[in-house]
Each structure stands twice: as structure tokens, then as C-alpha cells.
Amino acid sequence: MSTLLLNLDFGEPPPKKALEGNSKHQSFVKKRRLLERRGLLNKKKQLPSKVSRLQSDPPKKEETRKIDDTWSVSPPQKKKKTAVSSSGSEQSLNNKAAVPWLTPAPSQKGHSLVAKVDLLGEFQSALPKIKSHRACSQKKHPQKNASQNSKQAHSEHSSGASQEPRKMVAVDCEMVGTGPKGHVSSLARCSIVNYNGDVLYDEYILPPCRIVDYRTRWSGIRKQHMVNATPFKIARSQILKILTGKIVVGHAIHNDFKALQYFHPKSLTRDTSHIPLLNRKADFPENATMSLKRLTQKLLNRDIQVGKSGHSSVEDAQATMELYKLVEVEWEQHLAQNPPKD
């Protein structure tokens, strides 16, 4: 028999492999191995089953189930606010649909981002576009509307009632003699009345030249009237401001304009000494130039320019306006058909 030789070493066992790393890492590895031996770490890695979730957690109100068994959250529905009126009936506060153009467009959500809405732009774009019927008709028929406007203006001008009283005045002037032997007529008094006979202007006026003859018997001007009289240039500017743009009525009015050193358009001038209708009403020859005194006595049954105190320019201007108003409608219609040339 062969001899078996056993070489047994009963010395110290070889040291275990030392854990690598620092102390914190070593404690972590020990805990992990302990959890692995107990089987806790494997259970933690497993995901909860879908069936258990379905059985344990019922869906909430906001969640809806999709085909792939995933859950999505639906936006909560807004409750309509209601208000109770005095009669007890509930009325909806959300009545913006009744006035759609006052409500801005709702904000749009895209990719979970709220789009920016320009409220001012939405409001302005929603405003109703209103166009006047007259403007549209003028664009469609410009020639037709132009003819209608001209006819309307012509009818207003032709009718005597269409004349505005504020745009019509009567004027009368009194003159004195200046220059060689007092033969030059210079303005010494001017009176202006409106359509109703109210006095708008009445002033004594100092001529630029020395007065030779006051002509008191006709003008009523005396020396004392010139003490505080208005200088001619100032008075003339004041008078022209009143006459400009208005219809001026007068009797033999060209003499008044000559004294004022002024020319008024013929289309805006009404001379009662050259209105045949007045002579016809007074039974005078139509082409004759009758005096203001005779026309007033015949048609108005009133005496003017009497006595030795002279004429009153206010009285003469009022009488001239009253005479004109007797034939205003007929005379304006005649002038509309036969306009005077300036």
C-alpha cells in the first residue's frame, strides 16, 4: 500500500478580502447586502401592477380613461353664476352672448401654453362698422345727389321765407356839405337796423374835411353833434363789419355807399327806389323813382321826414325795411329767376 501523506496547515485562515472604499461606502454596501438577503430590495424594484391600481384606486371625477389604460385629467367645468332678482327668479350672470361684440375672443390654449390675447385689439375688431346711408348713397350716385343739393339750395334761395332775418339789415345815412361851397356830400350820421327794425348802429360821424354846410333842414345835423362824433375811418370800419356778407336794404342806397366809400355786391343789395312791385302796390308808375316819404305815406299810412328839425336816419331805415317786407317774397322769387349781375 502506498502511503498517504497529508500536509495539513492548521495555521490562521487567510484574511477576507477587505472592502474597498471609504467608511461611508462600506456601510452602504453592508446595508444593501443585508436588504438583499432579506429580500426587501427586490420587492422595492417591482412596479405596482396595473390591475391592483384599477381595483384599488377608483377614477376621480376629473380623470377619464383612455384606450391604452392611461389616465388623463380633464379640465374642470366652470359653474355658471346665477343671480336672484327682486322677484325671486334666477337669472344667468353670464349673458355676454346677448352682446357678442362687447366680449373679447376667448383665449386659445395650444401645447399647454395660453395664447396671449390683445383685449383692446379684439374689442376694436369686434365693433360694428356703421356707415351712414347718406354717405353710401352719395358714393353710389354722386351726380344725382349733386343735382338734388343744387335744387335744394336754389329753392331755399328763391323762397323769401328762407332768408334768415339776421343776415338782412337796412341802412340810411345823412350827409353834410364839404369842399368848395359845400357841394361835396360827406357822411355825418349812419343808422343800421335789423330785420325787425331794432337799431344795430347809430352814430354821428366826423368827416375828414371841414364842414361847410350842415344841411340841417334835411340832415338834422348841427354843430354840437360833431363835438363827440366818431372819426370817419373808425366809423367806416365799424359799419363795414356789420354790412359785410349781409343783404343790405336801402332807398337810393347808392348815395349811402358813395358816402361810405364802399361798394356792396348787387346780388346782396335791395334798393326800394327800384322795386317796381312797390310802385305797383302804391299805384305809381313802375319805372318811376318815388321818394321814401311818398311810398311810406301811401303803403304804410305813416308820415316821415316832417318838420324843420330834419330827417331821422333811424326812422328812414325802419321805414325802408317795412316797405321791403311788403314785397319780399315776390321780389326774391323774381331775383332768383333773374339774378342781378355785379
Side-chain angles (χ1 to χ4, degrees), residues 296-341:
T296 304
Q297 185 180 14
K298 186 72 174 180
L299 297 176
L300 301 178
N301 297 321
R302 189 167 72 224
D303 293 329
I304 61 172
Q305 301 176 357
V306 294
K308 296 181 180 180
S309 60
H311 303 173
S312 171
S313 55
V314 173
E315 185 181 41
D316 291 353
Q318 292 173 341
T320 303
M321 181 62 78
E322 292 182 26
L323 288 173
Y324 171 75
K325 289 164 72 173
L326 294 177
V327 294
E328 178 182 3
V329 177
E330 297 177 5
W331 188 242
E332 291 299 330
Q333 291 177 354
H334 172 75
L335 293 178
Q337 296 174 0
N338 304 284
K341 296 181 181 181

Side-chain angles (χ1 to χ4, degrees), residues 18-63:
L19 296 175
E20 297 178 357
N22 53 16
S23 60
K24 290 183 179 181
H25 181 68
Q26 293 176 4
S27 63
F28 171 75
V29 172
K30 289 181 181 181
K31 290 180 181 180
R32 182 178 177 86
R33 290 177 179 175
L34 179 63
L35 293 174
E36 289 178 354
R37 287 196 299 270
R38 292 182 180 180
L40 297 177
L41 188 60
N42 294 333
K43 291 183 180 180
K44 186 177 181 180
K45 289 182 179 181
Q46 292 180 358
L47 295 175
S49 62
K50 298 179 182 179
V51 178
S52 62
R53 174 178 171 83
L54 292 174
Q55 293 178 356
S56 61
D57 297 333
K60 297 180 180 179
K61 293 182 180 180
E62 294 82 3
E63 295 179 349

